[in-house]
């Protein structure tokens, strides 16, 4: 298709009134342009764009005939006829000026003394940059009896219409052909050719305003002065019809101008209303029927008709694939053959830059397409104020000359402009491979969209790797990414080729998008993208000897083309190998008897359409016998289409395809199918010729290669601009691959989709139907990516360059660029299928495309479009599609997400309709929660917020917040907190969410301020199972709530609001949960991400509650695992010892821990086993083994009677971490005491030395820390814990960090501040257990604990001093500790579980716990002394 | 049979400073289930940049890295010498990363490893000049037990954004890093790609509104006025300029604009002292403008070109080369013919006495989004070797 590029080029024309240009008309070959002004005729050359000659008749003649008006060329370009104001037709001869030297060329450049380079002239074809010299001679003039309204050059005659209603015929010699003169009133006109009641034209339709003749339609299309339009078939010379007769164009009575498309047999009328109507001739009845209308929709530009005015000029492009249309008040539009709007310069970016009112471009008086449609020559009329740059004296001089006309007309001047265009290669060369790319050809450049080629090569690569499991999905995604890539790849066409062969007629790209070939005036050239080199004919004579006439295409490594051999004066098909030099010696040449008009390939077939209306098929076979590859062309079949086509020119496309109207079940057919049908596009009507397999099969026996004949054609579709089929195969997407796509201009696109039967079991069912589904497209389609379910296209985009200098103000016009567009089409098809009750097929189709990245988007679009259509429909819909669509989407996991995204993008008013079909959004919300899709749930929340009462949305938000906190999705948590705040105070600006995409409908919430009475019951409910301590907390919060109630009612600033308290409560609860379950890393993230959470102050409050820590060992272990912090490692020898002991204890879990401990250093450790195992060591370990087993047994017995204190603790953890760690802990703890004894007795003497050693080794080990991030986090948490005097945790962290100074700080804090005694007690105890644990399980900690021995001592001192100060109370204290312990453990356990368990279960657990603790208490006194002993020793 | 495939999933173009990611897949492709499992001793990956120079023009200072000959003689057959078999000088060689040691693959089994390496920001760009070439490759070396080392090479292209040295500078701009380490994780690091593109954009803004107007004149007078809307371009962009011949007093017959790059060898590396710069032409726009008032040019910068850069050896600059063919005599238009009563005919001049004047306008060319550039670079993004049993 055609797209403008850049700015229009402005050409130099003489200024002044006498040279106001009235008309421009090109010669038949479009090489010469006649520019007619009042008094002159100028001839311009197309390229280079220069003026050749200007002819001015003498003044005397002008006074006789009047000024020039319009011109027409004789078809052989030897004469120009010009009409004048006074009923005269002037004939001016155009001939080459042979007096001019150097091959009669003008503007030959000579630089210095170097001789002029002679112009090359082979076969009478000049170089593209040489300008032929032309002289004009006045021949004759003919006067007519009446004023001339329009005239037309038809074959060897001129038809001149005069206002008296006559159609006069003039010969080019200047004689009238009086016999052939017709009068309009003599022509009978009817609605169609079959009607007898034809009427003569009344006097109102007095004369012809505009007319055009089309040989393919065989008649004149005329616009009458009454505004009616008529198609007149002239009297046939063959005699069957002796009289001319006409057919009315129905429904048009304000026609202003006409343009006829020969190739597509269309008649376009431009109307006074500013619209265009395009008719086609119904051959059966001979009536004109409307094909489509050219209307600027109000979306494009409102009131186009009023502002732009009537249609003044319309011109079809030379290839008939686009129509340029201009209006009276300015503006230009471009339409594809069947009515897609390609360009409209009304509104948008085109007019905004200039001062208001004037349209861009200025009103076009006359226009004409240049060669191959690369240029549009326009004569535009603009107000003459811009000429300040040119000499004003000149103007004055002219003013004197013809002063009377100045007043009337000199307020405008004319400009000659040249708009540049690029066009799709499909317009003239619709071969298979061009259909697979967005490939555009410009005057000197080729544009190719890069994305699709890349994705192709990727996909191709993919196929080769299909077996490999990993590569598949990722590269498909990559491909999808490239589809969105809008970068053009611009290939400049070889300058040396262009210099002699401008313009490029045909361009072709190969399937892979790697090689391109172009053919210009003569010869051709090709280019490979990978080498970035053009290949031209080495022998220029060979290049000049051939003219590519019927297209050029790629077949494998060969360029196949149809050409005319000038030397041999014959038509040929040639194949040139790409790899060899470009020379005829490597080419395979096959002569054909008639000119080839179209060329295409299908697999190894070459198909041609010739000027004699015959289709010929050739098989291509690659031969590699010589050093250079060659191809063998064998003619397979020839079919005459004469009876099916009106004119060979009308065939716009020719394709072979494997498709059949009844698609065969893919399972039964191999992937490489034969050419089953031939598709021929005749003037937009798509004919399908299927192979006739019904005939007797004897033929095949006789001759294997005998081709199967074709059936008579069936019409598949009309108004077809382009069609896409593919020869690729993809087993997964048969439905898409077997489809055929049609571009139908304003009728959108159509897909001819196969419908495969569901149950393949039935034998008779193997044939299936096809269905034609139309759908809208917003882009102009140029390529269909079958597998990706995407259409690619191009569009014109506009860039505004601003000019700083004021003198360029009038140039402030837009610069046109090319844009690559793409569109997903899958949802259209799915919708159509669902509408037709073909849900099964829709499902099959959708499932095959599930892996596409934009598949969720497709579902969303599907739902959205149906919803919009049905919810906004004014009449009730008898059979709504929405339920079906919803049911369809439900089949996919993206269901919930699709619904909510769609809802978000539609108006609130449509929601009830949507949810009445989909179901209660609350249920959907809960489904999201169940599916753990919190993000989607959050989106539902916004919907619910608009539909439900605030209380409900608060409730749901709270639930969501809880799960979000549990999942640690902090972003979402933050948003939810903001949300919770905002729904209570929608009007307060600081609380309104900023930066989030949440939209709140404020209206629904105004005045529904939540009262705190709602909070309280909920609050109570939450904390109901709490113990005494919990109650205390509750009362505290309650008082805050109470306070806030007042605050809310009195609206006192500064007080915490009820909302704030409510949120704080949720946050605190979660924080407590985290802390109590020792998840301090998560707590760190939580605190950092929740802006409303005051970490330190909360910790201060919690340090004696949730912050209390009883089991140091498991705490250390969980910290290690949370932060991925390696346990301190020891040297190999020690570990070896440890292993032995662990093995002896036969505890699988602990040995596993050691393996972990070995970690990264483990491998190296094996090599560095320095310390040999001494007999002592061995015996020692044996000792250990010997002793541990009985002790384990005794321990078990002990735990039955009443276990020690530590055994209980893991129950706190059990709810969250059912990990090995807890089991280990209990195991090891129970071992501890005895092992210590063993250690003492056996190791005894070496103990001291060992500890020294250990210290040294731990120095090394200290280097192997965990990740840096974890380190920072630990340090930060340590700092926070210290600040909040949450000393137990601080101690743990200090130990994990092996930061002895921090331990000192912790101990100091403990001693200095009013730290609760029980806390110090717990710390000391904890440390003791740690030591025990280190001795048995984690020897790596031993050196560090050894190091902080002093601090442990200090701690025990602290405990002792406080106990000794009140010795009598010691037991009480411990019992108090027990009590508080009990309470704490309960509360923390409960806080973990609250909300999850029913109160009864909780109470049961509480009872159990209490029991345990009592038992513990008994044991306590026994245990306490032991650890302290160990410490001292 | 053992198959090694190395692929660059992102495409073959990278911006220096980016992390290159390469997937290396090892497959034991022997179909026979009875055959023994393959044992690979090790595999290691490295990125190298080879610099090849034209000996007649460039003299390299012998201080830089080992030349290939030296390097290849030092290593025996079984060691990993990434630049073995490569020509020229290795100017960049990342530290080898070991993918595995002792990999056992049963028949039909496949293992994929991901290799990541940052391309240093101070690396030279991929460049194919007339005297100097820089080419990058990912080299995967693999050795089967007791066999010689085999290598898979994946070529790729590096774009360098000059002035983009330390990425951290761009990341610090936001605010002072938060003291809470727990927030660090959530904060998004600026990727090199983003920063690089931002940089390009900011450079853009320096030049974009700077519409330059040039009055082109020769000894006899004014020829034309030329408007250029930008001085800096990204690869793949169009250079749009407008010519206004209306203001000229000297008739201009024809003009041409050529996009050229200049490759200049640094002085210490030149073989001959007077050695000039090598010019490469890319796209030419030519037009006859005798009867043109106003026209424009639209020159695309090839996506495959190398943006301007400078290394110790070579420096590349971009320019637009203009040629104006002006007439020495006055060229008469049709209006020059006196408007008297006689019939007359004006015809264009037969010969034109012309002179050609040239002008070079330097422009800046920056890299573009490497993903865009990937889409046209037709480099293969994967390489494959088969290691047969031998």
């Amino acid at each position: 298709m055609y797209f403008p590029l850049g700015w229009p080029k402005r050409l130099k024309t003489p200024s002044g009134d006498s040279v106001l240009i009235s008309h421009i008309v090109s010669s038949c070959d479009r090489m010469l342009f006649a520019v007619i002004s009042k008094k002159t005729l100028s001839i311009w050359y197309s390229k280079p764009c220069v003026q050749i000659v200007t002819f001015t008749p003498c003044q005397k003649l002008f006074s006789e005939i009047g000024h020039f008006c319009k011109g027409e060329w004789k078809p052989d370009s030897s004469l120009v006829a010009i009409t004048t104001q006074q009923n005269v037709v002037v004939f001016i001869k155009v001939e080459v000026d042979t007096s001019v030297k150097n091959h009669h060329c003008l503007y030959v450049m000579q630089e210095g003394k170097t001789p002029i380079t002679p112009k090359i002239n082979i076969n009478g074809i000049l170089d593209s940059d040489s300008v032929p010299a032309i002289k004009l001679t006045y021949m004759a003039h003919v006067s007519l009896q009446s004023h001339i309204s329009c005239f037309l050059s038809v074959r060897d005659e001129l038809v001149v219409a005069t206002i008296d209603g006559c159609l006069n015929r003039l010969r080019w010699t200047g004689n009238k052909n009086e016999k052939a003169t017709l009068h309009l009133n003599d022509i009978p006109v009817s609605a169609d050719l079959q009607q007898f009641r034809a009427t003569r034209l009344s006097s109102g339709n007095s004369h012809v305003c505009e007319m055009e003749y089309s040989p393919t339609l065989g008649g004149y299309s005329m616009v009458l002065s009454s505004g009616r339009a008529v198609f007149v078939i002239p009297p046939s010379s063959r005699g069957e019809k002796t009289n001319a007769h006409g057919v009315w164009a129905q429904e048009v009575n304000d026609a202003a101008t006409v343009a006829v498309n020969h190739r597509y047999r269309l008649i376009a009328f431009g109307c006074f209303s500013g619209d265009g109507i395009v008719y086609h001739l119904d051959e059966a009845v001979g009536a004109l029927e409307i094909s489509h209308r050219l209307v600027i929709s109000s979306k494009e530009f409102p009131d186009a008709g009023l502002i732009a005015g009537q249609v003044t000029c319309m011109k079809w492009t030379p290839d008939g694939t686009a129509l340029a249309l201009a209006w009276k008040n300015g503006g230009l539009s471009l339409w594809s053959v069947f009515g897609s709007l390609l360009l409209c310069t009304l509104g948008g970016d085109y007019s905004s830059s200039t001062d208001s009112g004037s349209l861009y471009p200025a009103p076009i008086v006359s226009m004409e397409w240049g060669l191959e449609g690369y240029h549009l020559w326009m004569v535009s009329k603009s107000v003459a104020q811009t000429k300040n740059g040119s000499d004003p004296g000149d103007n004055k001089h002219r003013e004197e000359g013809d002063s009377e006309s100045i007043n009337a007309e000199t307020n405008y001047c004319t400009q000659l402009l040249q708009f540049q265009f690029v066009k799709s290669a499909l317009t003239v060369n619709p071969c298979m491979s061009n259909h697979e790319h967005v490939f555009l050809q410009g005057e000197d450049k080729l544009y190719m969209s890069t994305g699709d080629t890349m994705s192709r090569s990727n996909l191709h690569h993919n196929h080769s790797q299909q077996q490999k499991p990993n590569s598949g999905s990722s590269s498909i995604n990559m491909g999808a990414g490239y589809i969105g890539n809008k970068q053009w790849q611009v290939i400049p066409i070889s300058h040396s080729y262009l210099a002699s062969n401008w313009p490029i007629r045909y361009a072709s790209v190969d399937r892979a998008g790697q090689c391109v070939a172009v053919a210009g005036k003569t010869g051709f050239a090709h280019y490979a993208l990978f080498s970035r080199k053009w290949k031209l004919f080495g022998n220029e004579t060979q290049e000049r000897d051939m003219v590519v006439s019927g297209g050029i295409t790629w077949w494998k490594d060969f360029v196949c083309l149809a050409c005319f051999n000038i030397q041999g004066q014959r038509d040929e098909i040639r194949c040139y190998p790409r790899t060899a030099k470009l020379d005829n010696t490597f080419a395979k040449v096959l002569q054909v008897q008639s000119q080839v008009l179209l060329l295409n390939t299908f697999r190894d077939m070459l198909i041609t359409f010739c000027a004699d209306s015959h289709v010929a098929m050739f098989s291509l076979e690659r031969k590699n016998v010589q050093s250079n590859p060659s191809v063998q062309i064998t003619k397979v079949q020839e079919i005459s289409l004469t009876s099916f086509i009106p004119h060979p020119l009308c065939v716009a496309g020719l394709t072979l395809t494997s498709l059949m109207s009844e698609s065969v079940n893919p399972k039964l057919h191999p992937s490489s199918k034969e050419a089953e049908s031939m598709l021929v596009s005749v003037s937009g009507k798509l004919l399908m010729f299927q192979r006739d397999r019904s005939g007797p099969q004897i033929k095949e026996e006789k001759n294997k290669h005998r081709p199967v004949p074709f059936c008579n054609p069936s019409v598949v579709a009309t108004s077809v601009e382009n069609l896409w089929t593919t020869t690729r195969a993809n087993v997964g997407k048969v439905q898409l691959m077997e489809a055929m796509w049609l571009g139908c201009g304003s009728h959108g696109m159509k897909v001819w989709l196969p419908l495969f039967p569901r149950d393949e079991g039935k034998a008779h069912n193997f044939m299936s139907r096809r269905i034609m589904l139309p759908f809208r497209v917003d882009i102009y389609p140029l390529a269909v990516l079958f597998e990706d379910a995407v259409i690619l296209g191009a569009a014109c985009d506009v860039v505004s360059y601003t000019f700083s200098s004021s003198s360029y103000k009038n140039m402030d016009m837009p610069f046109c660029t090319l844009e690559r567009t793409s569109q997903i089409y899958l949802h259209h098809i799915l919708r159509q299928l669902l509408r037709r009750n073909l849900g099964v097929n829709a499902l099959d189709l959708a499932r095959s495309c599930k892996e596409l990245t934009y598949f969720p988007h497709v579902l969303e679009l599907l739902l959205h479009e149906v919803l919009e259509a049905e919810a906004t429909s004014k009449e009730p819909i008898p059979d709504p599609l929405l339920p079906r669509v919803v049911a369809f989407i439900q089949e996919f996991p993206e269901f919930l997400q699709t619904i909510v995204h769609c809802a978000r993008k539609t108006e609130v008013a449509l929601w009830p309709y949507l949810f009445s079909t989909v179901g209660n959004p609350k249920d959907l919300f809960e489904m999201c929660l169940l599916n753990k899709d919190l993000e989607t749930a959050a989106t539902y929340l916004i919907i619910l917020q608009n539909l439900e009462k605030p209380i409900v949305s608060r409730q749901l938000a709270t639930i969501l917040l809880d799960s979000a906190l549990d999942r640690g999705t902090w972003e979402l948590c933050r948003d939810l907190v903001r949300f919770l705040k905002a729904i209570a105070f929608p009007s307060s600006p600081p609380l309104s969410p900023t930066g989030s995409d949440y939209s709140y409908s404020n209206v629904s919430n105004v005045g529904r301020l939540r009262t705190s009475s709602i909070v309280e019951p909920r609050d109570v409910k939450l904390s109901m199972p709490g113990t005494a301590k919990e109650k205390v907390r509750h009362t505290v919060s309650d008082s805050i709530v109470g306070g806030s109630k007042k605050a809310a009612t009195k609206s006192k600033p500064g007080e915490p609001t009820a909302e704030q308290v409510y949120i704080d409560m949720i946050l605190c609860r979660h924080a407590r949960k985290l802390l109590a379950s020792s998840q301090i890393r998560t707590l760190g993230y939580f605190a950092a991400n929740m802006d409303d959470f005051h970490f330190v102050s909360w910790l201060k409050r919690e340090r004696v509650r949730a912050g209390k820590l009883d089991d140091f060992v498991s705490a250390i272990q969980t910290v290690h695992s949370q932060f991925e912090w390696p346990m301190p490692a020891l040297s190999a020898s020690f570990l070896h010892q440890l292993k032995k002991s662990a093995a002896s204890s036969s505890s699988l879990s602990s040995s596993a821990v050691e393996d972990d401990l070995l970690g990264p250093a483990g491998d190296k450790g094996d090599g560095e086993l320095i310390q040999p195992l001494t007999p002592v060591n061995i015996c020692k370990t044996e000792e250990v083994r010997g002793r541990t087993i009985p002790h384990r047994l005794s321990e078990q017995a002990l735990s039955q009677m009443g276990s020690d204190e530590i055994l209980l603790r893991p129950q706190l953890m059990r709810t969250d971490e059912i990990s090995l760690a807890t089991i280990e802990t209990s195991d090891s703890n129970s071992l501890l005491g005895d092992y210590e004894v063993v250690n003492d007795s056996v190791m005894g003497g070496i103990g001291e030395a060992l500890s020294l050693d250990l210290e040294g080794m731990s120095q090394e080990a200290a280097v192997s820390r965990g990740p840096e991030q974890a380190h920072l986090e630990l340090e930060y948490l340590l700092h926070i814990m210290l600040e909040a005097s949450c000393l137990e945790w601080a101690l743990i962290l200090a130990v994990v960090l092996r930061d002895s100074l921090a331990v000192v700080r912790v101990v100091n804090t403990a001693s200095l501040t009013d730290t609760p005694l029980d806390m110090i007690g717990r710390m000391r105890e904890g440390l003791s257990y740690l030591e025990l644990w280190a001795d048995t399980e984690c020897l790596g900690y031993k050196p560090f604990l050894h190091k902080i021995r002093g601090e442990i001592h200090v701690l025990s001192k602290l405990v002792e001093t406080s106990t000794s100060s009140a010795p009598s109370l010691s037991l009480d204290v411990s019992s108090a500790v027990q009590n508080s312990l009990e309470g704490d453990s309960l509360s923390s356990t409960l806080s973990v579980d609250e909300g999850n368990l029913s109160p009864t279960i909780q109470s049961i657990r509480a009872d159990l716990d209490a029991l345990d603790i009592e038992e513990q208490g008994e044991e306590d006194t026994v245990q306490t002394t032991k650890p302290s002993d160990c410490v001292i020793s | 049979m053992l198959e090694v495939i190395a692929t660059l999933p992102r495409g073959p173009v990278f911006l220096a400073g980016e992390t290159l990611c390469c997937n290396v897949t090892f497959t034991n492709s022997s179909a026979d289930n009875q055959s023994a499992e393959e044992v690979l001793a090790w595999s290691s990956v490295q990125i190298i940049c080879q610099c090849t120079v034209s000996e007649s023009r460039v003299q390299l200072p012998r201080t830089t890295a080992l030349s290939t000959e030296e390097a290849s003689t030092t290593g025996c057959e079984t060691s990993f010498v990434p630049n073995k078999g490569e020509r020229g000088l290795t100017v960049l060689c990342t530290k080898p990363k070991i993918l595995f040691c002792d990999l056992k693959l049963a028949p039909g089994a496949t293992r994929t490893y991901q290799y990541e390496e940052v391309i240093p920001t101070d690396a030279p760009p991929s460049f194919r000049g007339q005297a100097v070439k820089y080419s990058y490759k990912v080299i995967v070396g693999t050795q089967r037990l007791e066999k010689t080392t085999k290598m898979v090479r994946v070529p790729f292209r590096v774009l360098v954004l000059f002035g983009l040295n330390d990425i951290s500078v761009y990341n610090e701009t936001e605010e002072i890093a938060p003291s809470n380490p727990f927030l660090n994780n959530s904060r998004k690091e600026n990727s090199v790609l983003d920063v690089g593109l931002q940089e390009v954009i900011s450079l853009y803004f320096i030049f974009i509104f700077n519409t330059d107007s040039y009055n082109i004149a020769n000894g006899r007078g004014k020829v034309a006025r030329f408007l250029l809307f930008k001085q800096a371009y990204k690869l793949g962009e169009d250079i749009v300029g407008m010519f206004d011949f209306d203001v000229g007093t000297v008739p201009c017959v024809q003009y041409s604009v050529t996009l050229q790059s200049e490759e200049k060898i640094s002085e210490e590396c030149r073989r001959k002292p007077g050695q000039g710069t090598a010019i490469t032409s890319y796209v030419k726009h030519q037009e006859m403008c005798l009867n043109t008032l106003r026209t424009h040019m639209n020159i695309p910068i090839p996506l495959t070109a190398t943006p301007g850069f400078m290394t110790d050896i070579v420096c590349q600059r971009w320019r637009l080369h203009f040629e104006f063919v002006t007439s020495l005599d006055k060229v008469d238009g049709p209006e020059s013919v006196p408007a008297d009563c006689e019939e007359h005919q004006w015809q264009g001049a037969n010969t034109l006495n012309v002179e050609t004047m040239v002008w070079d306008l330097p422009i800046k060319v920056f890299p573009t989004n490497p993903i865009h550039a990937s889409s046209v670079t037709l480099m293969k993004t994967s390489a494959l070797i088969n290691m047969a049993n031998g």
Side-chain angles (χ1 to χ4, degrees), chain A residues 635-837:
Chain A
K635 193 175 200 170
V636 179
Q637 200 171 3
E638 191 168 338
I639 309 121
S640 170
L641 299 183
T642 326
S643 49
F644 307 111
I645 53 174
H647 194 280
L649 185 74
C650 295
V651 176
L654 175 71
T655 313
L656 274 178
T657 170
S658 59
L659 302 184
M660 290 160 68
S661 60
E662 276 138 352
S663 70
V664 173
N665 193 320
K667 301 268 160 63
L668 300 175
H669 248 253
S671 62
S672 61
K673 287 172 209 126
E674 285 175 63
E676 284 300 334
S677 338
M678 179 169 68
L679 294 162
V680 184
S681 166
V682 184
S683 298
K685 197 159 69 182
L686 189 63
L687 302 179
M688 186 176 200
F689 295 77
Q690 281 197 74
R691 293 244 190 226
D692 188 2
R693 297 210 184 267
S694 60
Q697 302 291 310
I698 317 151
K699 283 173 190 166
E700 278 184 41
E701 286 165 36
K702 263 197 241 162
N703 187 347
K704 247 173 94 181
H705 297 287
R706 181 101 188 217
V708 186
F710 286 96
C711 300
N712 275 345
S714 53
V715 178
V716 175
T718 53
S719 307
V720 176
E721 289 184 8
N722 270 311
L723 72 95
W724 293 268
T725 60
T726 186
T727 54
R728 294 170 200 280
N730 185 333
V731 184
K733 294 180 179 173
V734 185
Q735 236 179 337
L736 284 180
M737 307 305 280
E738 284 279 300
M740 176 165 69
W741 301 86
L742 306 168
C744 299
S746 60
H747 307 292
M749 271 187 94
K750 284 174 187 168
V751 57
W752 206 34
L753 202 68
L755 295 178
F756 296 120
R758 192 63 165 161
D759 40 354
E760 283 113 18
K762 292 176 187 167
H764 67 272
N765 224 1
F766 80 94
M767 298 289 259
S768 61
R769 293 175 299 142
R770 278 183 176 271
I771 189 166
M772 184 72 82
L773 302 174
F775 60 93
R776 298 255 124 227
V777 277
D778 306 321
I779 64 169
Y780 189 81
L782 290 174
V784 175
L785 303 186
F786 283 78
E787 279 140 298
D788 301 305
V790 168
I791 307 166
L792 301 180
C796 168
D797 200 9
V798 163
V799 179
S800 249
Y801 284 104
T802 42
F803 299 85
S804 42
S805 59
S806 57
S807 66
Y808 285 89
K809 203 182 164 196
N810 63 319
M811 290 189 347
D812 253 13
M813 48 196 179
F815 182 88
C816 298
T817 57
L818 265 179
E819 194 199 3
R820 221 291 312 273
T821 54
S822 57
Q823 191 176 331
I824 304 167
Y825 56 71
L826 208 55
H827 57 286
H828 292 295
I829 302 172
L830 294 178
R831 183 180 168 181
Q832 298 268 6
L833 286 173
L834 289 173
R835 179 171 294 292
R836 286 164 173 77
N837 276 326

Side-chain angles (χ1 to χ4, degrees), chain B residues 164-226:
Chain B
L164 180 82
N165 288 323
D166 192 6
I167 214 72
S168 58
V169 178
Y170 300 95
N171 283 324
E172 276 169 21
T173 51
E174 289 174 13
E175 53 196 78
I176 312 147
S179 57
N180 190 339
F182 288 102
L183 280 176
N184 247 349
N185 285 19
S186 58
R187 201 171 60 119
K188 260 193 189 165
E189 288 271 309
N190 268 346
S191 75
V192 180
L193 204 58
D194 297 339
V195 172
L197 296 175
Q198 267 171 23
E199 179 77 351
V200 170
I201 290 163
S202 63
L203 282 168
Y204 240 52
F205 275 103
I206 298 171
F207 295 103
I208 197 159
F209 297 116
N210 209 356
T211 298
D212 272 4
S213 162
Y214 302 92
N215 286 315
I216 297 153
N218 65 10
R220 269 175 294 277
K222 217 167 165 182
V223 177
R225 194 165 131 114
F226 175 61

Side-chain angles (χ1 to χ4, degrees), chain A residues 7 9-10 12 51-52 54 56 58-59 105 107-108 110-111 134 136 445 450 485 808 811 1085 1088 1269, chain B residues 180-181 185 225 244 287 291 293-294 296 298 341 344-350 352 354 356 375-376:
Chain A
W7 290 290
K9 178 166 151 182
R10 274 177 60 188
K12 195 187 275 176
Q51 204 168 356
I52 298 173
T54 300
T56 318
C58 62
Q59 284 289 343
C105 288
Y107 301 118
V108 179
Q110 182 177 26
E111 185 152 17
I134 282 171
L136 302 173
K445 293 179 193 105
T450 56
N485 185 357
Y808 285 89
M811 290 189 347
Y1085 284 119
Q1269 174 67 22
Chain B
N180 190 339
N185 285 19
R225 194 165 131 114
D244 185 0
E287 202 175 355
N291 294 123
L293 285 178
R294 191 172 295 155
H296 69 274
N298 190 359
C341 295
H344 55 80
Q345 185 172 168
W346 169 91
Q347 197 182 40
N350 186 3
L352 295 168
V354 295
T356 306
S375 61
V376 287

Side-chain angles (χ1 to χ4, degrees), chain A residues 929 941 956-967 972-974 976-977 980 1063 1066-1067 1070 1090:
Chain A
L929 279 183
L941 198 59
L956 296 174
T958 314
I959 294 168
L960 185 58
L961 180 57
D962 279 338
S963 15
L965 286 170
D966 283 341
R967 298 277 303 274
L972 184 62
C973 295
R974 266 211 294 256
L976 282 168
V977 166
L980 276 169
I1063 291 161
I1066 297 171
L1067 296 182
H1070 185 74
M1090 306 314 293

